[in-house]
Amino acid sequence: MLSSLNLNPVLENSIHEIQIRSLIGDTLKDMGKKFSAPAAVELLYATGLVESKYHYIRQHPTGPARSFFQLETHSVIDNLISYLHFRAGLREQCARASFTQEEWWEVPTTEAQKSSWMSMWEKIIESNMRAAIIHARLIYWRSPGKLPALDPEKMGKYWVKNYNRGGKGTVKKFLEAYDT
């Protein structure tokens, strides 16, 4: 399978790409088969490349985004409140796949709990790669349209529209990062 992928040369000071692809694939399989299509694994791998080059777990030089996938806490909280809150089975799978407690994936009932919960999630996505992978996948899962084929140009357009959503990203930036 790896022979058909766009393998980049070893990037200095980065995570080994076969290991990160493997972690992404294993995490998505643990979420459930429907989340782990080869196109999803490759799109998430490419997302990490363009977002952080697998160098940064905090937005550089400053900013709110966390993890290699540069997730913002409000996007994570939206996944939890607007999507997983209504899907107890998937919440359980996400907790298991990320080796976290299931109650962390549940929406708190009081405002005081919500504040500490949001702070906790900022720390989780920065320190738990599996949780970050899950939330990045859920952003794409909840996006309209199906995943693009394993075509860098189509993947770049999909990333700009559905993940970068109004950020500074461009297809050109995606292609440059993916073809490093």
Side-chain angles (χ1 to χ4, degrees):
M1 178 177 149
L2 288 178
S3 62
S4 66
L5 299 176
N6 178 22
L7 291 176
N8 296 313
V10 176
L11 298 173
E12 189 175 323
N13 300 320
S14 295
I15 282 189
H16 190 273
E17 83 176 87
I18 292 173
Q19 290 179 9
I20 193 67
R21 275 189 167 110
S22 178
L23 178 62
I24 292 167
D26 291 347
T27 302
L28 297 184
K29 283 178 193 160
D30 289 348
M31 280 179 74
K33 186 178 179 181
K34 67 184 181 180
F35 295 100
S36 63
V41 174
E42 193 62 15
L43 183 60
L44 282 178
Y45 171 73
T47 298
L49 275 177
V50 71
E51 292 287 343
S52 71
K53 296 182 179 71
Y54 292 102
H55 287 262
Y56 305 105
I57 57 171
R58 288 186 178 215
Q59 189 171 347
H60 181 74
T62 60
R66 299 289 186 262
S67 89
F68 290 137
F69 303 96
Q70 297 295 284
L71 294 157
E72 294 185 15
T73 307
H74 67 84
S75 296
V76 170
I77 297 304
D78 185 61
N79 278 340
L80 295 161
I81 291 173
S82 302
Y83 191 73
L84 291 174
H85 179 68
F86 304 102
R87 292 161 179 84
L90 181 55
R91 258 195 335 263
E92 182 182 328
Q93 287 173 264
C94 291
R96 231 181 333 196
S98 62
F99 303 108
T100 57
Q101 296 177 32
E102 188 175 346
E103 66 233 28
W104 296 352
W105 295 80
E106 295 170 2
V107 178
T109 55
T110 69
E111 288 306 310
Q113 290 171 327
K114 280 184 184 173
S115 179
S116 66
W117 180 66
M118 289 174 70
S119 176
M120 177 189 73
W121 269 104
E122 182 177 57
K123 291 175 179 113
I124 289 172
I125 60 173
E126 182 176 357
S127 62
N128 183 322
M129 286 195 285
R130 281 178 158 254
I133 290 165
I134 289 166
H135 280 287
R137 180 63 180 106
L138 288 173
I139 289 170
Y140 283 126
W141 182 261
R142 295 175 62 200
S143 298
K146 63 187 254 187
L147 288 176
L150 292 172
D151 173 287
E153 181 85 21
K154 290 177 181 175
M155 291 165 58
K157 287 178 182 176
Y158 196 82
W159 168 78
V160 167
K161 180 180 179 186
N162 297 298
Y163 197 90
N164 192 254
R165 297 183 290 201
K168 296 178 182 175
T170 63
V171 174
K172 180 181 178 194
K173 178 182 175 183
F174 182 94
L175 294 172
E176 288 170 355
Y178 188 58
D179 194 37
T180 303

